[in-house]
Amino acid sequence: MTSSATTGIGSGTDTFTYPVTPGDFTTVAFGPTPSQTVGPYWHIGLPWADGPAAAPEGTPGRITVRFTVLDGAREPVADVMVETWQADAEGRFTHPDDPRGAVPPVPEGFRGFTRAAGDSTGTATIHTIKPGALPAEQDQVEAPHIDVSIFSRGMLDRAVTRLYFPEDTTAHAGDPVLAALPETQRRKLIAERTDDGYAMTIHLQDSDPDGVETPFFLV
């Protein structure tokens, strides 16, 4: 690789340098700092002991939700981290950004956030409660759901999706987010019922546009 300071992008060499701009940080227009890959760096500072439990043990209505994350080859992503955010059982948030005002959580002790590491099967397990429905724009109502973020090695940013509950078919029909997706994509966001809660398989990629890849959202 050449080290010539005059070689720039598009010169036909392997060097990627930028032209020198006179001035200092007050006169140079900087772009956004490039992202690093999400994983495996999340292992350093993001986990904490209570991370997987949004609802402490013994909380009324506590459920277990398992997310299994698979890559484009349908192999488990063993170093994945799953992060979730949701409303409480009444569809409210203990947060000042809730336009209805922050309120104490229902049930008591519930927090709306979890962070869980995947195991060798690519499965991350959280303990939470089923959220209530949420008001949306134009007097619409979002069906009960959990917002899900995926962090993993090789990803430049998180991938964001949702989990909906299989018993809420009537609410799904009026959900504006689900309504924006084709029917073939909507069903990929519906969890399966298990003995102690719910399970969802998340496919990060699929070369077939009509394949199994999970719908992800820009946030």
Side-chain angles (χ1 to χ4, degrees):
M1 178 181 292
T2 177
S3 60
S4 170
T6 60
T7 302
I9 295 176
S11 65
T13 73
D14 292 331
T15 301
F16 291 87
T17 60
Y18 295 88
V20 175
T21 303
D24 57 24
F25 71 92
T26 65
T27 59
V28 176
F30 291 98
T33 302
S35 296
Q36 296 291 333
T37 56
V38 169
Y41 305 110
W42 72 263
H43 291 276
I44 297 173
L46 295 184
W48 79 95
D50 296 330
E57 191 170 355
T59 300
R62 188 179 194 246
I63 57 174
T64 296
V65 182
R66 297 177 180 87
F67 300 92
T68 299
V69 183
L70 305 179
D71 64 17
R74 304 193 187 184
E75 296 292 333
V77 182
D79 65 347
V80 72
M81 183 186 75
V82 174
E83 188 177 273
T84 68
W85 173 249
Q86 65 173 88
D88 70 5
E90 295 188 352
R92 300 295 295 268
F93 294 95
T94 309
H95 196 283
D97 286 346
D98 188 327
R100 299 161 294 175
V103 294
V106 178
E108 183 179 358
F110 168 76
R111 67 166 186 236
F113 182 81
T114 71
R115 188 177 281 161
D119 61 17
S120 61
T121 69
T123 301
T125 301
I126 68 166
H127 306 286
T128 187
I129 52 96
K130 183 177 176 181
L134 287 172
E137 295 179 352
Q138 299 178 347
D139 295 325
Q140 294 179 303
V141 177
E142 293 188 11
H145 66 273
I146 297 176
D147 292 315
V148 184
S149 293
I150 306 298
F151 297 78
S152 180
R153 181 185 313 165
M155 298 173 65
L156 295 178
D157 201 352
R158 61 178 175 157
V160 180
T161 188
R162 283 186 171 191
L163 174 150
Y164 287 87
F165 299 88
E167 63 271 20
D168 296 328
T169 52
T170 300
H172 294 166
D175 183 279
V177 175
L178 287 177
L181 297 173
E183 175 58 35
T184 55
Q185 299 299 316
R186 288 178 217 164
R187 58 174 174 257
K188 298 176 184 178
L189 301 182
I190 311 301
E192 296 180 4
R193 188 80 203 217
T194 64
D195 291 340
D196 57 357
Y198 302 87
M200 179 180 184
T201 299
I202 297 173
H203 294 266
L204 294 179
Q205 290 179 313
D206 194 331
S207 57
D208 180 357
D210 297 318
V212 297
E213 182 176 324
T214 299
F216 297 105
F217 303 98
L218 294 175
V219 293

